[in-house]
Amino acid sequence: MTSASTPASVARTEPVRAAEGGAPRSAAALAYLRHAAGKVAGAAVSLLAVLVTSFFLFRIIPGDPVKAMTHGLPTSAEQLATLRHQFGLDQPLLQQFADYCAKALSGDLGTSFQFRAPVGELIAQKLPATLLLTGTAVVLYSALGLWLGTRSAWRHGSLGDRLNTGVALTLWSVPSFWLGLLLIIVFSVGMGPIPGLFPTGGMESGTGETGFGYALDVAHHMVLPVLTLVAVGYAQTLLVMRSSLLDEMGGDYLTTARAKGLRDDAVRRRHAVPNALLPTVTMVFINLGHVVAGSILVETVFSWPGLGGLFYQALSVPDLPLVQGLFVVFAGAMIVMNLIADLLYPLLDPRVGR
């Protein structure tokens, strides 16, 4: 009787256990969905605010874009009026704003005044160069900042910690364009016994090389701008990671891990660092958002043919559709990366969003 009744009792209890285990999972999933819905709604509101800001902010830039398009050539008042009508600049401001929002939400960012080409096509042409430059820099300075920040925090107060922190704070305070100009003077033009080793600007030499030779040429041109971005950018990641890990080092769970006989490196790698990474996730994803935005000053200093240089050219006119389109793309990339970080938080730490 006992052996016959045991399977039946197990069968009766299994649904109960499944239901008991399913309820917390359902509640957790529902809480995550609420968290995700709130973050997505917040991102949508932020994007709407970006559209409003991008339209009205650049309308206060001094200068007449129509006159700038003529490049100082003799132009009659009738011709200027025709150009303003062609680009919709003679319409009321609210009508211009309504047309701009309607087109932007449908993916049409308008037509550039100076290039007479769709803004979306211009951005697509320059985007690969920016992704190559800033993407390489972001990967390098994020990895370097995480590694040095971990080392500095774990040996806080040591000579290495003080040296790393001092160098990071110094480089973080240096303007990127000034550092870029200094590197050009020293390593491109040459100074004293240091010969000019790297090109002064651009993305390629224009020799017509292809394949591996072209890749080496581009890499040669990338050295100084990437070094500039890494030198200025790694400090923030280092300081955030160092601060987060210092907060975790007093935890009782680390003492317990050491009491179990784990080596110091294993305690740091398997316990302390994973718990300290959560604040750094935001920094990493913000840096990924900068991949699209690029660095306007660094790209301008090194004449890099990316979105940063295009933004500088658009501001100098001012080319309102191009400036607005680039601003929306830059801000949109940051909003999307921040949204992804917010959606990942509950997966990394179940306490978030509960």
Side-chain angles (χ1 to χ4, degrees):
M1 292 293 292
T2 304
S3 60
S5 61
T6 301
S9 61
V10 172
R12 285 194 299 270
T13 56
E14 283 178 351
V16 176
R17 291 173 182 173
E20 291 174 351
R25 285 196 295 268
S26 299
L30 185 60
Y32 179 79
L33 289 176
R34 287 197 299 265
H35 172 78
K39 295 301 180 182
V40 171
V45 173
S46 299
L47 185 58
L48 180 61
V50 166
L51 290 176
V52 176
T53 304
S54 66
F55 180 83
F56 290 102
L57 176 64
F58 298 111
R59 288 300 189 282
I60 65 176
I61 297 177
D64 188 343
V66 174
K67 290 184 178 180
M69 282 188 289
T70 62
H71 302 288
L73 297 175
T75 309
S76 65
E78 291 78 9
Q79 290 173 324
L80 292 176
T82 301
L83 286 174
R84 289 193 176 91
H85 178 73
Q86 179 182 349
F87 291 106
L89 296 176
D90 59 341
Q91 297 178 357
L93 192 61
L94 291 180
Q95 181 62 41
Q96 294 183 42
F97 175 67
D99 294 341
Y100 165 71
C101 289
K103 291 180 179 179
L105 293 176
S106 64
D108 182 5
L109 297 176
T111 302
S112 168
F113 291 166
Q114 61 182 135
F115 297 104
R116 304 296 178 90
V119 171
E121 292 183 5
L122 293 172
I123 293 175
Q125 292 172 5
K126 300 293 185 179
L127 183 59
T130 291
L131 293 180
L132 176 63
L133 178 66
T134 57
T136 302
V138 164
V139 170
L140 290 177
Y141 72 63
S142 295
L144 182 64
L146 288 172
W147 182 68
L148 290 178
T150 301
R151 296 287 176 176
S152 294
W154 205 250
R155 297 177 175 86
H156 63 283
S158 65
L159 177 61
D161 176 34
R162 294 196 298 270
L163 183 63
N164 283 332
T165 305
V167 171
L169 288 173
T170 301
L171 290 175
W172 195 14
S173 63
V174 171
S176 59
F177 72 91
W178 181 84
L179 181 60
L181 290 172
L182 184 63
L183 291 178
I184 289 175
I185 293 172
V186 176
F187 296 106
S188 291
V189 178
M191 175 179 289
I194 303 177
L197 301 174
F198 301 100
T200 56
M203 184 176 175
E204 55 183 285
S205 300
T207 56
E209 293 190 41
T210 58
F212 185 68
Y214 176 75
L216 285 179
D217 185 34
V218 172
H220 192 213
H221 284 75
M222 286 178 58
V223 171
L224 292 185
V226 167
L227 181 60
T228 302
L229 292 172
V230 170
V232 175
Y234 89 98
Q236 192 174 19
T237 307
L238 182 152
L239 295 173
V240 170
M241 187 61 193
R242 181 180 181 274
S243 176
S244 300
L245 189 54
L246 285 176
D247 291 339
E248 296 292 334
M249 287 178 61
D252 294 335
Y253 68 96
L254 297 183
T255 304
T256 303
R258 291 189 179 95
K260 290 181 178 180
L262 289 179
R263 293 182 303 173
D264 197 56
D265 287 343
V267 172
R268 182 189 71 244
R269 185 177 62 256
R270 294 167 53 185
H271 296 279
V273 171
N275 285 283
L277 277 176
L278 188 61
T280 316
V281 168
T282 300
M283 190 62 57
V284 171
F285 276 92
I286 288 176
N287 292 339
L288 290 176
H290 283 302
V291 170
V292 176
S295 178
I296 298 172
L297 295 177
V298 172
E299 287 191 7
T300 302
V301 166
F302 288 96
S303 303
W304 190 262
L307 294 181
L310 185 63
F311 189 75
Y312 176 80
Q313 290 179 351
L315 279 175
S316 63
V317 173
D319 189 340
L320 295 179
L322 186 53
V323 169
Q324 291 168 179
L326 287 168
F327 184 81
V328 170
V329 170
F330 293 165
M334 298 296 296
I335 292 172
V336 170
M337 289 298 116
N338 192 48
L339 174 62
I340 294 175
D342 287 335
L343 295 180
L344 285 178
Y345 278 164
L347 304 179
L348 298 175
D349 188 348
R351 296 171 296 179
V352 178
R354 296 293 184 266

